[in-house]
Amino acid sequence: MIKFLDLQKINNQYRDELVQAATRVIDSGWFLLGEELTQFEEDYAKYCGTKYALGVANGLDALRLIFKAYIEMGLMSRGDEVIVPANTYIASILAVTDNGLLPVLVEPRLDSYNLDASLIEVAITSKTRAVLTVHLYGQNSIDDQMLEICQKHNLFLVEDNAQAQGGVWKGKLTGGIGDAAGHSFYPGKNLGALGDAGAVTTNDKELYQTVKALRNYGSHKKYENIYQGLNSRLDEIQAAFLNVKLKYLPKEIEKRREIAEQYLKGITNPLVVLPLVPDPQQHVWHLFVIRNNNRLKLQQILLESGVQTLIHYPIPPHKQGAYSNFNENHYPITEQIHREVLSLPMSPVLTDKEVQEVIQLINKFKG
Ligand SMILES: *Cc1c(COP(=O)(O)O)cnc(C)c1O
């Protein structure tokens, strides 16, 4: 069986170091907001090229806390609008609505699956305060046009960098291009903890200080609460695991890029649409997503030959029960993407032989 993602194998590469890290935390008797977290925040900010990084409980909270902080800072208020790609994972949108802000869904480009910057301006109203752009599948989604529009209309540019740690655009890393970014270290993400974890990065000192209080009951000083905060801290034990895994992230991204290159070169079946990659540095291949108009059959054939695939994502947010107010809306590109996408096995522990096997099976597919 070629697994979609073999987390056991991935973490087993670092088993000794992970055990040491866990032991260090257990023996320290200190489990929250300690040295492991401080170390991780320093190293992760350095990695992203930002002044600040703050560990939080998960990726959804990272995004929730950014918007909550902007509200506490008086820069946004309930009822304000945030532009979000219609084809994102639902977490991006939950972070907006959880704060009483209104998501304005905008279509992605069919070639990159990322927010179509040319459609942003028509969606802007007097209530628009931010663009929440998502580096979907691991590919940077920011371009000059998006930055110019945000500047011209005085909008915050917030990055959902749950899937793209390590992507580079014009010498900057994703998570360090916009005003603030939310990151996820969910076990299956490119930098995966051994449980839930996330981070906020920014160069904005006031935002940093506000999120820092908000993640800890709205408090800078014990028992003094200046905001109605959350409990959203990154555990010492997860920070310790991330301190181990962050060191290996660049190597793992390189491996993902090698595998993607093999897929891109090897898959020649005209029935399959490959991802478009204008600049290899901008993609860290969290997912390798192909399109086919009979993807369930392709998925079934692959599975029968021992290849696991997944669909990211089968139902778009505007068709979910959670957002019944959007159910009647129509986003044809988003809907096409959700009908046709299929994610092939992708991880730094896939072997060349496994990759070639997947390629051959796909090339044999007759539709
Ligand atoms: C994973 C993910 C999130 C949420 O991260 P969690 O750590 O699972 O809360 C948000 N946005 C996108 C695009 C994601 O892929």
Side-chain angles (χ1 to χ4, degrees):
M1 168 70 86
I2 301 177
K3 285 194 185 170
F4 175 74
L5 179 68
D6 191 339
L7 282 180
Q8 233 171 354
K9 196 169 172 187
I10 289 174
N11 289 311
N12 209 36
Q13 303 175 98
Y14 317 121
R15 190 175 189 284
D16 292 348
E17 279 187 82
L18 292 170
V19 170
Q20 275 170 26
T23 307
R24 197 164 65 231
V25 174
I26 293 164
D27 291 346
S28 76
W30 192 275
F31 303 110
L32 288 166
L33 303 180
E35 285 172 16
E36 297 288 347
L37 180 63
T38 303
Q39 184 70 52
F40 178 68
E41 289 175 340
E42 260 179 52
D43 292 347
Y44 195 63
K46 203 179 288 171
Y47 180 79
C48 294
T50 54
K51 281 194 191 140
Y52 310 106
L54 282 164
V56 298
N58 55 63
L60 170 59
D61 276 6
L63 294 167
R64 283 169 77 198
L65 284 161
I66 290 168
F67 290 109
K68 201 172 172 60
Y70 279 134
I71 290 171
E72 291 292 355
M73 289 157 73
L75 298 169
M76 288 185 195
S77 8
R78 290 182 166 268
D80 283 346
E81 295 172 4
V82 177
I83 288 171
V84 195
N87 64 321
T88 185
Y89 179 56
I90 198 161
S92 326
I93 297 170
L94 288 170
V96 173
T97 53
D98 184 65
N99 280 295
L101 301 165
L102 301 175
V104 175
L105 306 183
V106 170
E107 288 264 59
R109 289 172 58 113
L110 187 59
D111 56 4
S112 68
Y113 311 121
N114 278 331
L115 188 57
D116 188 339
S118 72
L119 302 178
I120 293 175
E121 238 168 351
V122 292
I124 293 174
T125 73
S126 60
K127 287 193 162 286
T128 311
R129 295 289 171 269
V131 172
L132 171 55
T133 191
V134 183
H135 307 309
L136 201 68
Y137 305 150
Q139 177 159 239
N140 166 53
S141 60
I142 296 175
D143 58 16
D144 286 320
Q145 190 182 11
M146 191 184 288
L147 285 178
E148 278 162 25
I149 292 167
C150 289
Q151 229 153 27
K152 181 174 153 197
H153 296 272
N154 208 12
L155 307 178
F156 290 106
L157 181 57
V158 179
E159 298 172 69
D160 181 336
N161 198 33
Q163 303 192 356
Q165 290 93 2
V168 182
W169 179 68
K170 292 196 169 181
K172 285 189 175 177
L173 269 88
T174 55
I177 308 170
D179 295 291
H183 307 251
S184 168
F185 311 121
Y186 174 81
K189 296 286 160 74
N190 281 21
L191 177 59
L194 278 65
D196 275 317
V200 171
T201 53
T202 184
N203 290 316
D204 178 339
K205 189 171 182 186
E206 195 188 344
L207 182 71
Y208 160 75
Q209 286 172 333
T210 311
V211 171
K212 191 170 182 177
L214 284 171
R215 74 169 175 189
N216 190 30
Y217 296 114
S219 162
H220 282 297
K221 199 169 161 204
K222 207 166 189 181
Y223 305 127
E224 283 182 26
N225 305 85
I226 48 176
Y227 311 111
Q228 295 174 13
L230 309 176
N231 174 355
S232 183
R233 301 173 296 220
L234 200 170
D235 297 347
E236 283 291 279
I237 200 154
Q238 295 303 339
F241 292 144
L242 289 167
N243 283 329
V244 172
K245 293 189 74 180
L246 180 58
K247 292 186 293 186
Y248 299 104
L249 181 61
K251 217 170 64 188
E252 295 208 334
I253 291 173
E254 279 321 303
K255 186 73 193 142
R256 284 174 185 271
R257 287 187 175 137
E258 282 169 32
I259 293 164
E261 216 172 283
Q262 290 183 55
Y263 277 144
L264 288 168
K265 281 206 182 105
I267 299 173
T268 52
N269 189 333
L271 298 174
V272 165
V273 182
L274 290 167
L276 173 92
V277 195
D279 168 10
Q281 287 301 308
Q282 291 192 50
H283 212 317
V284 295
W285 301 104
H286 172 55
L287 297 170
F288 191 96
V289 176
I290 59 171
R291 282 196 354 256
N292 172 266
N293 55 22
N294 201 359
R295 57 122 183 249
L296 291 178
K297 186 170 171 205
L298 177 56
Q299 183 173 44
Q300 186 59 30
I301 290 173
L302 289 170
L303 188 63
E304 282 163 10
S305 310
V307 175
Q308 235 178 21
T309 57
L310 291 178
I311 293 171
H312 298 91
Y313 301 90
I315 306 169
H318 72 279
K319 294 289 180 196
Q320 298 284 358
Y323 289 111
S324 53
N325 50 322
F326 288 121
N327 285 176
E328 300 305 316
N329 291 18
H330 214 46
Y331 302 98
I333 295 174
T334 295
E335 286 156 26
Q336 184 184 350
I337 291 169
H338 284 74
R339 266 196 318 271
E340 296 183 350
V341 288
L342 187 68
S343 307
L344 303 184
M346 171 52 84
S347 85
V349 296
L350 272 186
T351 65
D352 289 352
K353 191 167 156 277
E354 288 172 324
V355 176
Q356 289 309 318
E357 207 176 309
V358 176
I359 290 171
Q360 276 163 24
L361 286 168
I362 290 174
N363 284 342
K364 272 194 271 180
F365 179 62
K366 301 217 159 45

